[in-house]
Amino acid sequence: MSGPASIRSRELLVAGRSKASIEVRDLRDRVVASDPGLARLRQAVSAILAVGTTVAVESVVVAVVGPPKQIGLLALLLGAVIAMPLSTSVKESDRRVAAITVASGAVAAVTGAILGVLTAQVHLLGLITFTLVSFAAVWLRRFGPRWFTLGFLGWQAFFFSLFLDPPVASLPFMVGAIVIATLWVGLLLVTVLHVDPSAAVSRTVVTLRARARAAISAAMDVLDDPEDLRSVRAMRGQLIQLSEVSLLLDGQLSTARTLPHGLRAGFVRRWVVDVEIGMDEICAAVLDLATHEDEIPPEVLHDVRIVLGSLGWADTAIALVSARELQATGHHGIPAARRLGAAAILLLETIDQWDHPALRPDHTDEALEEGNEDDFDAVVTLFSGNLPGSAGLAAMTLDVETSRRWSPSRLRLTTRQAIQAGVAAGLSIILGELISPQRYYWAVIASFIAFTGTATSGETVRKSISRIAGTIAGLVVAVGLANLTADSTPLTAVILGGSIFLAFYLQALSYTAMTFFITLMLGQLYTLLHTFTDQLLVVRLEETAVGAVVGLTVSLVVLPASTRATLRVARRAFLASLAALLDACADHLAGVPRGGGSRGEPEGTGTAVPTSDGSVPAEVGTDGGVADHDGGVADRDLLTLVVQTSADARQVVRTHRALTRGRVFGSDREGLRHRISVLGSADSIARTLATRALATPPGCSPQLATACREIAAEARHLAALPTLITATPRRSDTGVGQRVGAILDALPNDPVTDGVRITIRRLGDSLSLLTPRST
């Protein structure tokens, strides 16, 4: 083949390879973006590696010691049962601390096993002890992540020992199996499974970039079909997930030895905030363009699509050139187009800083020696390496201080949950034995697990329903697989390992999927033990359904922690943080000192934030960093408030999900979704406002400070309201947007503060949507 035909073939081949590489990159981005820092992948690998190698080690010991066959099999199973949760729940980055947790886990598991074996000799005593152990395992969680792990290990060892009903003579072998399993898993956790904190930060940064590209892809979908509300929600969802990755990264900064050599936590925090601002501005500009698409010339939309496409998937240099062209040209007086170009430049330059030598100033080591790094204020406290749940907020809903001395209202959240777990265990035992006296423990497991990782009644209900759904789906597949693997031990082992891996990999994404694979694993385990029957799995479904229903019923009836009350606390906390952030911005704009200098922050670490019309604020250094001004608000202080506001906004969204999903009656989904969307928008606007304020000289505009304080007062007023949908009379008919607008309209145009003025107006208009009006 030659001539034009040959050239055309080569072009098609190059195009095909380019498309294939893009598809591969997109797939990699989706995997990385859905698994921040590859934490789920590491957890799944840890589970399968720990279980597989522990069984191998226990097999060697059993072969050497030579116990009876049944006791040897018991030791193997017990070792695997202990290895699985131990390898996935010990997340300490310090090897010494991890070793202490593992050693404590051995003590907890041995204690649980001894109790299980001894009390199993008297059936009623065993059942009563099971209820008490369930209570204790949950009550211990009040002391932190380590005790969460210890309580679960003790409960699981007790449960395993009780339902197998081993003879007392087997107790030494069981204790030996636990000790061997914990020693081996402990060795793995401090060697091959040890998590390097600095590597975890680097992986989380990769996830942040992938999540940003996913948000850009969602923004392109919005531009392609502005009428599709699902695309708009998907874009906002991507921004929420981007914020969660940012908060996870901020939480990792508080751990010693986290950052690569030469980096400082305060600098990385500023870098992450700039990435979020860039994405907020891009998506807001896209939404503005999509809303007025009919009024925008086609060539403008074409240029916007080129910028978005090159920004997400093409060469960085091409994306930067396209963004600069979009920002520089007039584009028929369309501010949103210039705003998008400026935001794209901000994002590209910020991302490029991560690998740039400027990120590691020469004076960094000296600053560390002076102890400036100790000034970093940790905002997010991770729980076993994950972002915190809603337990803290749920605890704030309890009226402990004003309740009578012996009132149940004075009980702490962990005590309430412990009582719930104990009651649920007792009821599950009674109802489970009515179905099957030999398999009642499946009901107890379902009811106990319903209280693991949940804090409110809404979360418990969701988890219980997910467990039933996952069990049903798992049983259907397990029955079909059992017939295929009945005579193939290797295939059964492969499916067992794959089920364990996928169960832990998908645990954080979908509890239904996790339950599905756990059920599949049990089906294959019974096949391996030659005890599999269809009737056995039917019993499992019945017991699981009973236990799940008991768990959700108890969570709603016995000392419940209201999801709606928790959402109300989350909303108030967010609005209070927003008010504090606005006050800090006002202090800076009015020139009120808030603690001297930018401690721990090198000059030139910030990035200029584009204004809404695409311009760049004044007082910006030549390297793109915000100029430092003596006597102003410290960057670090204001950025700490930015992160705190984002963390509180995340809790609002998280609690909202638990409240609305699965509700059929009286949930007001659309109204509630709208209010949560407005709060999320206020968070992103406030983040931009804080950074723009830092780009101005301190004391540059007392009038802008007054506008900020007006919005802060409105935020506190909204926080004090019992609900945002109550028709509450106002002190005037003028909303906060109009009041702030009147202040801003009286100001002359000033290139130094125009960006701040525009952002304040947007924030005032946003909060005015939440202001209840008199009817």
Side-chain angles (χ1 to χ4, degrees):
M1 183 181 296
S2 61
S6 178
I7 295 174
R8 178 60 178 166
S9 297
R10 285 196 297 270
E11 290 177 349
L12 290 174
L13 179 61
V14 171
R17 289 176 177 173
S18 177
K19 183 177 181 180
S21 64
I22 291 176
E23 292 295 332
V24 171
R25 188 189 312 177
D26 288 351
L27 177 61
R28 184 178 67 246
D29 276 354
R30 284 193 290 270
V31 173
V32 172
S34 66
D35 186 10
L38 299 180
R40 296 201 330 271
L41 179 61
R42 290 185 61 88
Q43 177 174 268
V45 170
S46 298
I48 192 65
L49 180 62
V51 170
T53 56
T54 299
V55 170
V57 171
E58 298 274 12
S59 298
V60 172
V61 175
V62 167
V64 173
V65 176
K69 183 177 180 180
Q70 283 299 111
I71 294 181
L73 180 60
L74 177 66
L76 291 177
L77 292 176
L78 183 57
V81 166
I82 297 300
M84 189 182 300
L86 192 62
S87 62
T88 57
S89 58
V90 178
K91 302 290 183 64
E92 287 90 344
S93 58
D94 187 288
R95 288 182 171 87
R96 183 183 63 84
V97 176
I100 293 175
T101 302
V102 171
S104 304
V107 174
V110 167
T111 302
I114 292 175
L115 277 176
V117 172
L118 295 180
T119 58
Q121 309 308 311
V122 180
H123 184 64
L124 181 59
L125 178 61
L127 299 183
I128 294 174
T129 308
F130 202 171
T131 303
L132 296 177
V133 168
S134 297
F135 171 89
V138 176
W139 185 83
L140 288 174
R141 296 174 186 173
R142 67 174 59 200
F143 301 114
R146 173 181 289 173
W147 290 92
F148 189 102
T149 301
L150 299 184
F152 187 74
L153 282 172
W155 182 89
Q156 188 145 318
F158 175 89
F159 154 73
F160 187 84
S161 303
L162 184 67
F163 91 82
L164 285 182
D165 194 19
V168 177
S170 66
L171 193 54
F173 296 97
M174 296 179 63
V175 172
I178 292 174
V179 172
I180 292 171
T182 51
L183 286 175
W184 176 251
V185 174
L187 179 63
L188 292 177
L189 289 173
V190 299
T191 54
V192 296
L193 296 181
H194 175 68
V195 178
D196 180 14
S198 62
V201 167
S202 298
R203 288 193 297 268
T204 306
V205 169
V206 173
T207 301
L208 189 70
R209 295 179 178 181
R211 183 58 70 185
R213 287 191 290 268
I216 291 171
S217 177
M220 293 181 69
D221 292 337
V222 171
L223 201 61
D224 292 338
D225 189 2
E227 301 297 327
D228 187 3
L229 294 179
R230 290 176 299 179
S231 298
V232 176
R233 290 172 183 169
M235 183 181 71
R236 288 173 176 164
Q238 291 291 348
L239 288 178
I240 291 173
Q241 292 172 317
L242 177 73
S243 179
E244 289 185 343
V245 177
S246 301
L247 291 172
L248 177 64
L249 184 55
D250 197 87
Q252 292 172 341
L253 299 180
S254 61
T255 303
R257 299 176 292 103
T258 291
L259 294 174
H261 178 70
L263 282 179
R264 282 184 284 168
F267 193 98
V268 175
R269 170 176 284 174
R270 180 57 184 263
W271 182 86
V272 172
V273 170
D274 283 343
V275 171
E276 283 194 88
I277 290 174
M279 287 306 308
D280 288 340
E281 291 291 302
I282 287 174
C283 292
V286 166
L287 195 58
D288 192 5
L289 289 168
T291 303
H292 304 90
E293 187 180 36
D294 295 339
E295 308 169 10
I296 299 175
E299 58 269 22
V300 176
L301 294 176
H302 174 72
D303 292 343
V304 168
R305 287 188 174 91
I306 290 178
V307 170
L308 292 176
S310 59
L311 186 63
W313 297 277
D315 190 284
T316 302
I318 297 176
L320 190 58
V321 170
S322 301
R324 285 172 176 168
E325 291 177 352
L326 188 65
Q327 181 192 22
T329 56
H331 277 99
H332 307 277
I334 301 174
R338 297 190 62 203
R339 178 183 175 190
L340 188 143
I345 294 172
L346 164 66
L347 182 64
L348 287 168
E349 292 180 346
T350 302
I351 293 293
D352 182 62
Q353 282 185 352
W354 183 257
D355 299 315
H356 196 276
L359 194 62
R360 297 169 173 81
D362 293 337
H363 60 272
T364 295
D365 292 338
E366 296 178 4
L368 289 174
E369 291 175 2
E370 294 173 2
N372 286 339
E373 187 61 21
D374 293 338
D375 292 331
F376 178 78
D377 289 336
V379 173
V380 181
T381 301
L382 301 182
F383 188 91
S384 295
N386 301 314
L387 290 173
S390 57
L393 293 172
M396 295 173 62
T397 66
L398 307 180
D399 190 14
V400 176
E401 299 297 331
T402 60
S403 301
R404 297 189 304 274
R405 181 176 179 83
W406 301 109
S407 172
S409 299
R410 295 185 64 87
L411 295 175
R412 293 174 58 178
L413 179 64
T414 48
T415 304
R416 287 169 173 251
Q417 288 187 304
I419 293 174
Q420 289 176 333
V423 172
L427 290 176
S428 298
I429 289 172
I430 295 173
L431 297 178
E433 285 206 318
L434 295 178
I435 299 173
S436 172
Q438 293 77 33
R439 307 292 179 181
Y440 69 90
Y441 51 81
W442 276 332
V444 183
I445 291 176
S447 63
F448 180 83
I449 295 298
F451 299 99
T452 301
T454 61
T456 66
S457 56
E459 292 173 346
T460 305
V461 169
R462 284 181 56 195
K463 195 167 188 177
S464 298
I465 294 174
S466 296
R467 189 171 185 88
I468 295 174
T471 301
I472 293 174
L475 291 178
V476 172
V477 178
V479 171
L481 282 179
N483 297 326
L484 295 176
T485 62
D487 299 321
S488 177
T489 301
L491 181 58
T492 300
V494 169
I495 296 177
L496 270 173
S499 297
I500 294 174
F501 177 87
L502 291 173
F504 282 96
Y505 182 73
L506 299 173
Q507 179 182 8
L509 287 181
S510 170
Y511 188 72
T512 301
M514 178 190 175
T515 307
F516 169 83
F517 285 107
I518 290 294
T519 304
L520 202 63
M521 179 193 70
L522 289 175
Q524 291 300 296
L525 182 61
Y526 287 128
T527 300
L528 193 63
L529 298 175
H530 304 292
T531 58
F532 178 88
T533 63
D534 293 351
Q535 291 75 19
L536 182 65
L537 293 186
V538 171
V539 171
R540 170 171 168 76
L541 174 60
E542 294 173 346
E543 295 282 6
T544 299
V546 166
V549 170
V550 167
L552 68 87
T553 302
V554 169
S555 71
L556 294 172
V557 176
V558 180
L559 302 173
S562 170
T563 308
R564 188 172 292 277
T566 303
L567 178 59
R568 187 160 50 247
V569 171
R571 170 176 61 83
R572 290 174 176 172
F574 166 72
L575 290 170
S577 295
L578 178 64
L581 176 59
L582 288 168
D583 283 339
C585 292
D587 288 346
H588 177 82
L589 294 169
V592 179
R594 290 177 56 87
S598 52
R599 299 170 297 165
E601 292 291 332
E603 294 184 11
T605 59
T607 305
V609 181
T611 62
S612 295
D613 61 356
S615 61
V616 178
E619 298 297 328
V620 176
T622 56
D623 61 349
V626 179
D628 187 24
H629 301 279
D630 293 334
V633 179
D635 284 10
R636 182 184 145 281
D637 294 338
L638 197 51
L639 289 178
T640 299
L641 293 173
V642 168
V643 176
Q644 182 64 65
T645 304
S646 295
D648 290 334
R650 169 188 170 267
Q651 289 287 21
V652 172
V653 174
R654 188 180 188 278
T655 311
H656 159 254
R657 290 172 182 167
L659 180 64
T660 58
R661 289 186 182 178
R663 292 179 62 92
V664 179
F665 302 107
S667 60
D668 185 24
R669 292 189 181 187
E670 290 303 321
L672 188 55
R673 181 183 288 118
H674 170 70
R675 292 189 290 277
I676 298 301
S677 176
V678 172
L679 292 175
S681 176
D683 172 45
S684 64
I685 297 172
R687 183 164 47 239
T688 303
L689 172 61
T691 309
R692 286 179 175 171
L694 287 173
T696 63
C700 63
S701 178
Q703 295 85 357
L704 291 179
T706 301
C708 283
R709 297 195 195 283
E710 184 70 33
I711 301 176
E714 181 67 16
R716 292 191 175 93
H717 170 73
L718 293 174
L721 296 177
T723 175
L724 291 181
I725 60 176
T726 301
T728 304
R730 298 285 299 170
R731 56 181 179 273
S732 70
D733 291 331
T734 303
V736 64
Q738 294 177 331
R739 297 196 305 273
V740 170
I743 297 173
L744 300 179
D745 290 340
L747 295 176
N749 291 333
D750 183 352
V752 174
T753 60
D754 278 350
V756 177
R757 180 164 52 86
I758 292 171
T759 311
I760 291 175
R761 189 185 297 273
R762 288 170 54 200
L763 185 57
D765 291 342
S766 180
L767 282 191
S768 67
L769 298 175
L770 295 174
T771 305
R773 298 295 182 188
S774 57
T775 56

